[in-house]
Amino acid sequence: MTDPLDVITQSFREPGLVPGYEISSILGSGGQGIVFKAKKTAIGRTYAIKFLRPPDHVNPTTWRNSELGNLAALADMRHPNLVAIEDRGETKSIPYLVLEYAGDQSLKTLMTQRRLGLKDGLRWLRQTADAVQYLHDHGVLHLDVKPSNIYVLDGRAKLGDFGLVRLQSHSGAVDLSLAFGTPEYVAPEVVSLHRASPVSDVFGLGRTLDDLLIAAAVTDDRQPASWLMELATESTAMEPTQRPSLIAFRKRLAAPGGIRKVAFRSLRPEPRSSGAKGSPRFRSLRG
């Protein structure tokens, strides 16, 4: 099957593809789109440009108009823990978003490289929760909160990748009939009901906290080898609240009980109230 973004990847060095920018290379791609590194010719500053991938079996015009509306809602968003949005537009019938270039250091990168300590991780997660709450306060759901979308720039967390953002309805919920994010970070109500609300983003924060606790255990040489072996052999499909090794680690973790409480409450498998605001609870986390 032909990728709708082939028209972009085959012509990204074409002058004027995105007016005012010179695209140089591909930074990455995924199910929701492809990201390029670019320079704003007027000032020579580096940016990231994300082109959104149209979903299969959807009217292209309907999808494009919907996405352009979602991107317009982000145009004036400014928060110290959000990747800054410079511009938006459409080229070759593909919507795009011009973003602050946040580099290549994300929470996922730090976890993979075993360089993420608990204290820094919790601080960056609190900052991410502040950004999520800011979006919610402005009627926007992110719907793709996960470690690879949380960048660390100049010692500060910045939530990026706005390819799945949706505007909330008056009820606080939104129908998701087209696509949703990375499976392990998607809330149960999104999967089963195709409906999302602010607490759906809280689930992504909870999963990220879960990953952070595991990363802290792997980084900490004081953790017993038997625990690490148990973690490595468990099914990753199991609900985190049911994983015995993770429960054991939380008990061993020399941290306030509030961390365990936040993780468990955020990852409850049953659908949560669509009107709840859960992001503030992350602000109390301390390492």
Side-chain angles (χ1 to χ4, degrees), residues 152-171:
V152 178
L153 183 64
D154 298 329
R156 175 183 292 170
K158 284 181 171 282
L159 178 63
D161 197 334
F162 304 102
L164 283 176
V165 295
R166 293 292 184 271
L167 301 179
Q168 296 180 60
S169 66
H170 292 299
S171 67

PDB file of all heavy atoms in Angstrom, residues 152-171:
ATOM      1  N   VAL A 152      13.989  16.621  26.901  1.00  0.00           N
ATOM      2  CA  VAL A 152      14.701  17.348  27.945  1.00  0.00           C
ATOM      3  C   VAL A 152      15.638  18.327  27.257  1.00  0.00           C
ATOM      4  O   VAL A 152      16.576  17.933  26.560  1.00  0.00           O
ATOM      5  CB  VAL A 152      15.485  16.399  28.867  1.00  0.00           C
ATOM      6  CG1 VAL A 152      16.251  17.203  29.911  1.00  0.00           C
ATOM      7  CG2 VAL A 152      14.538  15.410  29.540  1.00  0.00           C
ATOM      8  N   LEU A 153      15.355  19.602  27.426  1.00  0.00           N
ATOM      9  CA  LEU A 153      16.117  20.664  26.776  1.00  0.00           C
ATOM     10  C   LEU A 153      16.533  21.681  27.829  1.00  0.00           C
ATOM     11  O   LEU A 153      15.685  22.249  28.521  1.00  0.00           O
ATOM     12  CB  LEU A 153      15.258  21.329  25.695  1.00  0.00           C
ATOM     13  CG  LEU A 153      15.914  22.419  24.850  1.00  0.00           C
ATOM     14  CD1 LEU A 153      17.063  21.842  24.025  1.00  0.00           C
ATOM     15  CD2 LEU A 153      14.879  23.070  23.928  1.00  0.00           C
ATOM     16  N   ASP A 154      17.839  21.875  27.957  1.00  0.00           N
ATOM     17  CA  ASP A 154      18.376  22.823  28.946  1.00  0.00           C
ATOM     18  C   ASP A 154      17.855  22.525  30.352  1.00  0.00           C
ATOM     19  O   ASP A 154      17.501  23.434  31.119  1.00  0.00           O
ATOM     20  CB  ASP A 154      18.028  24.264  28.548  1.00  0.00           C
ATOM     21  CG  ASP A 154      18.645  24.664  27.216  1.00  0.00           C
ATOM     22  OD1 ASP A 154      19.739  24.155  26.896  1.00  0.00           O
ATOM     23  OD2 ASP A 154      18.026  25.466  26.488  1.00  0.00           O
ATOM     24  N   GLY A 155      17.780  21.234  30.679  1.00  0.00           N
ATOM     25  CA  GLY A 155      17.370  20.829  32.015  1.00  0.00           C
ATOM     26  C   GLY A 155      15.888  20.910  32.290  1.00  0.00           C
ATOM     27  O   GLY A 155      15.455  20.741  33.433  1.00  0.00           O
ATOM     28  N   ARG A 156      15.091  21.138  31.260  1.00  0.00           N
ATOM     29  CA  ARG A 156      13.642  21.298  31.432  1.00  0.00           C
ATOM     30  C   ARG A 156      12.901  20.329  30.518  1.00  0.00           C
ATOM     31  O   ARG A 156      13.298  20.115  29.371  1.00  0.00           O
ATOM     32  CB  ARG A 156      13.244  22.733  31.100  1.00  0.00           C
ATOM     33  CG  ARG A 156      11.751  22.992  31.119  1.00  0.00           C
ATOM     34  CD  ARG A 156      11.448  24.414  30.699  1.00  0.00           C
ATOM     35  NE  ARG A 156      11.914  25.376  31.692  1.00  0.00           N
ATOM     36  CZ  ARG A 156      11.948  26.687  31.489  1.00  0.00           C
ATOM     37  NH1 ARG A 156      11.570  27.187  30.326  1.00  0.00           N
ATOM     38  NH2 ARG A 156      12.368  27.495  32.441  1.00  0.00           N
ATOM     39  N   ALA A 157      11.822  19.740  31.036  1.00  0.00           N
ATOM     40  CA  ALA A 157      10.994  18.845  30.233  1.00  0.00           C
ATOM     41  C   ALA A 157      10.104  19.646  29.300  1.00  0.00           C
ATOM     42  O   ALA A 157       9.565  20.691  29.677  1.00  0.00           O
ATOM     43  CB  ALA A 157      10.136  17.966  31.137  1.00  0.00           C
ATOM     44  N   LYS A 158       9.957  19.133  28.075  1.00  0.00           N
ATOM     45  CA  LYS A 158       9.075  19.765  27.096  1.00  0.00           C
ATOM     46  C   LYS A 158       8.269  18.679  26.388  1.00  0.00           C
ATOM     47  O   LYS A 158       8.839  17.789  25.756  1.00  0.00           O
ATOM     48  CB  LYS A 158       9.882  20.568  26.075  1.00  0.00           C
ATOM     49  CG  LYS A 158      10.402  21.906  26.611  1.00  0.00           C
ATOM     50  CD  LYS A 158      11.170  22.658  25.545  1.00  0.00           C
ATOM     51  CE  LYS A 158      11.505  24.072  25.992  1.00  0.00           C
ATOM     52  NZ  LYS A 158      10.362  24.992  25.902  1.00  0.00           N
ATOM     53  N   LEU A 159       6.964  18.762  26.507  1.00  0.00           N
ATOM     54  CA  LEU A 159       6.074  17.812  25.854  1.00  0.00           C
ATOM     55  C   LEU A 159       5.874  18.232  24.401  1.00  0.00           C
ATOM     56  O   LEU A 159       5.531  19.382  24.120  1.00  0.00           O
ATOM     57  CB  LEU A 159       4.727  17.776  26.579  1.00  0.00           C
ATOM     58  CG  LEU A 159       3.648  16.870  25.989  1.00  0.00           C
ATOM     59  CD1 LEU A 159       4.074  15.407  26.022  1.00  0.00           C
ATOM     60  CD2 LEU A 159       2.329  17.062  26.741  1.00  0.00           C
ATOM     61  N   GLY A 160       6.104  17.294  23.486  1.00  0.00           N
ATOM     62  CA  GLY A 160       5.975  17.607  22.067  1.00  0.00           C
ATOM     63  C   GLY A 160       5.119  16.597  21.334  1.00  0.00           C
ATOM     64  O   GLY A 160       4.341  15.862  21.936  1.00  0.00           O
ATOM     65  N   ASP A 161       5.281  16.562  20.014  1.00  0.00           N
ATOM     66  CA  ASP A 161       4.553  15.665  19.114  1.00  0.00           C
ATOM     67  C   ASP A 161       3.048  15.827  19.268  1.00  0.00           C
ATOM     68  O   ASP A 161       2.389  15.103  20.012  1.00  0.00           O
ATOM     69  CB  ASP A 161       4.950  14.210  19.336  1.00  0.00           C
ATOM     70  CG  ASP A 161       4.524  13.337  18.157  1.00  0.00           C
ATOM     71  OD1 ASP A 161       3.554  13.707  17.464  1.00  0.00           O
ATOM     72  OD2 ASP A 161       5.153  12.298  17.920  1.00  0.00           O
ATOM     73  N   PHE A 162       2.495  16.768  18.520  1.00  0.00           N
ATOM     74  CA  PHE A 162       1.073  17.094  18.640  1.00  0.00           C
ATOM     75  C   PHE A 162       0.232  16.461  17.531  1.00  0.00           C
ATOM     76  O   PHE A 162      -0.806  16.995  17.148  1.00  0.00           O
ATOM     77  CB  PHE A 162       0.906  18.617  18.626  1.00  0.00           C
ATOM     78  CG  PHE A 162       1.699  19.314  19.698  1.00  0.00           C
ATOM     79  CD1 PHE A 162       2.888  19.959  19.396  1.00  0.00           C
ATOM     80  CD2 PHE A 162       1.274  19.301  21.012  1.00  0.00           C
ATOM     81  CE1 PHE A 162       3.629  20.600  20.381  1.00  0.00           C
ATOM     82  CE2 PHE A 162       2.006  19.931  22.010  1.00  0.00           C
ATOM     83  CZ  PHE A 162       3.188  20.581  21.691  1.00  0.00           C
ATOM     84  N   GLY A 163       0.677  15.316  17.030  1.00  0.00           N
ATOM     85  CA  GLY A 163      -0.006  14.697  15.904  1.00  0.00           C
ATOM     86  C   GLY A 163      -1.374  14.127  16.211  1.00  0.00           C
ATOM     87  O   GLY A 163      -2.149  13.845  15.290  1.00  0.00           O
ATOM     88  N   LEU A 164      -1.698  13.941  17.494  1.00  0.00           N
ATOM     89  CA  LEU A 164      -2.994  13.356  17.852  1.00  0.00           C
ATOM     90  C   LEU A 164      -3.887  14.313  18.633  1.00  0.00           C
ATOM     91  O   LEU A 164      -4.921  13.896  19.155  1.00  0.00           O
ATOM     92  CB  LEU A 164      -2.782  12.080  18.681  1.00  0.00           C
ATOM     93  CG  LEU A 164      -2.373  10.835  17.901  1.00  0.00           C
ATOM     94  CD1 LEU A 164      -2.108   9.677  18.861  1.00  0.00           C
ATOM     95  CD2 LEU A 164      -3.443  10.432  16.899  1.00  0.00           C
ATOM     96  N   VAL A 165      -3.507  15.574  18.739  1.00  0.00           N
ATOM     97  CA  VAL A 165      -4.296  16.504  19.552  1.00  0.00           C
ATOM     98  C   VAL A 165      -5.734  16.583  19.061  1.00  0.00           C
ATOM     99  O   VAL A 165      -6.013  16.496  17.869  1.00  0.00           O
ATOM    100  CB  VAL A 165      -3.675  17.920  19.566  1.00  0.00           C
ATOM    101  CG1 VAL A 165      -2.330  17.913  20.252  1.00  0.00           C
ATOM    102  CG2 VAL A 165      -3.585  18.502  18.170  1.00  0.00           C
ATOM    103  N   ARG A 166      -6.644  16.726  20.010  1.00  0.00           N
ATOM    104  CA  ARG A 166      -8.063  16.862  19.704  1.00  0.00           C
ATOM    105  C   ARG A 166      -8.670  17.934  20.598  1.00  0.00           C
ATOM    106  O   ARG A 166      -8.254  18.124  21.738  1.00  0.00           O
ATOM    107  CB  ARG A 166      -8.812  15.539  19.938  1.00  0.00           C
ATOM    108  CG  ARG A 166      -8.430  14.418  18.989  1.00  0.00           C
ATOM    109  CD  ARG A 166      -8.879  14.706  17.564  1.00  0.00           C
ATOM    110  NE  ARG A 166      -8.600  13.596  16.672  1.00  0.00           N
ATOM    111  CZ  ARG A 166      -7.461  13.438  16.000  1.00  0.00           C
ATOM    112  NH1 ARG A 166      -6.483  14.324  16.153  1.00  0.00           N
ATOM    113  NH2 ARG A 166      -7.295  12.411  15.193  1.00  0.00           N
ATOM    114  N   LEU A 167      -9.673  18.610  20.071  1.00  0.00           N
ATOM    115  CA  LEU A 167     -10.406  19.599  20.851  1.00  0.00           C
ATOM    116  C   LEU A 167     -11.481  18.897  21.659  1.00  0.00           C
ATOM    117  O   LEU A 167     -12.169  18.001  21.155  1.00  0.00           O
ATOM    118  CB  LEU A 167     -11.050  20.634  19.927  1.00  0.00           C
ATOM    119  CG  LEU A 167     -10.102  21.434  19.028  1.00  0.00           C
ATOM    120  CD1 LEU A 167     -10.902  22.399  18.159  1.00  0.00           C
ATOM    121  CD2 LEU A 167      -9.091  22.188  19.865  1.00  0.00           C
ATOM    122  N   GLN A 168     -11.639  19.302  22.910  1.00  0.00           N
ATOM    123  CA  GLN A 168     -12.676  18.726  23.759  1.00  0.00           C
ATOM    124  C   GLN A 168     -14.041  19.289  23.387  1.00  0.00           C
ATOM    125  O   GLN A 168     -14.160  20.432  22.953  1.00  0.00           O
ATOM    126  CB  GLN A 168     -12.411  19.047  25.226  1.00  0.00           C
ATOM    127  CG  GLN A 168     -11.137  18.453  25.785  1.00  0.00           C
ATOM    128  CD  GLN A 168     -10.971  18.820  27.237  1.00  0.00           C
ATOM    129  OE1 GLN A 168     -11.810  18.495  28.066  1.00  0.00           O
ATOM    130  NE2 GLN A 168      -9.884  19.501  27.553  1.00  0.00           N
ATOM    131  N   SER A 169     -15.060  18.468  23.586  1.00  0.00           N
ATOM    132  CA  SER A 169     -16.428  18.945  23.434  1.00  0.00           C
ATOM    133  C   SER A 169     -16.847  19.625  24.735  1.00  0.00           C
ATOM    134  O   SER A 169     -16.097  19.668  25.705  1.00  0.00           O
ATOM    135  CB  SER A 169     -17.359  17.768  23.138  1.00  0.00           C
ATOM    136  OG  SER A 169     -17.420  16.908  24.265  1.00  0.00           O
ATOM    137  N   HIS A 170     -18.060  20.148  24.764  1.00  0.00           N
ATOM    138  CA  HIS A 170     -18.544  20.811  25.979  1.00  0.00           C
ATOM    139  C   HIS A 170     -18.631  19.836  27.152  1.00  0.00           C
ATOM    140  O   HIS A 170     -18.552  20.228  28.311  1.00  0.00           O
ATOM    141  CB  HIS A 170     -19.914  21.444  25.719  1.00  0.00           C
ATOM    142  CG  HIS A 170     -19.866  22.600  24.761  1.00  0.00           C
ATOM    143  ND1 HIS A 170     -19.134  23.738  25.017  1.00  0.00           N
ATOM    144  CD2 HIS A 170     -20.437  22.779  23.544  1.00  0.00           C
ATOM    145  CE1 HIS A 170     -19.262  24.586  24.005  1.00  0.00           C
ATOM    146  NE2 HIS A 170     -20.048  24.030  23.099  1.00  0.00           N
ATOM    147  N   SER A 171     -18.785  18.549  26.844  1.00  0.00           N
ATOM    148  CA  SER A 171     -18.868  17.545  27.907  1.00  0.00           C
ATOM    149  C   SER A 171     -17.494  17.161  28.435  1.00  0.00           C
ATOM    150  O   SER A 171     -17.377  16.449  29.427  1.00  0.00           O
ATOM    151  CB  SER A 171     -19.567  16.284  27.383  1.00  0.00           C
ATOM    152  OG  SER A 171     -18.765  15.642  26.406  1.00  0.00           O
TER     153      SER A 171
END
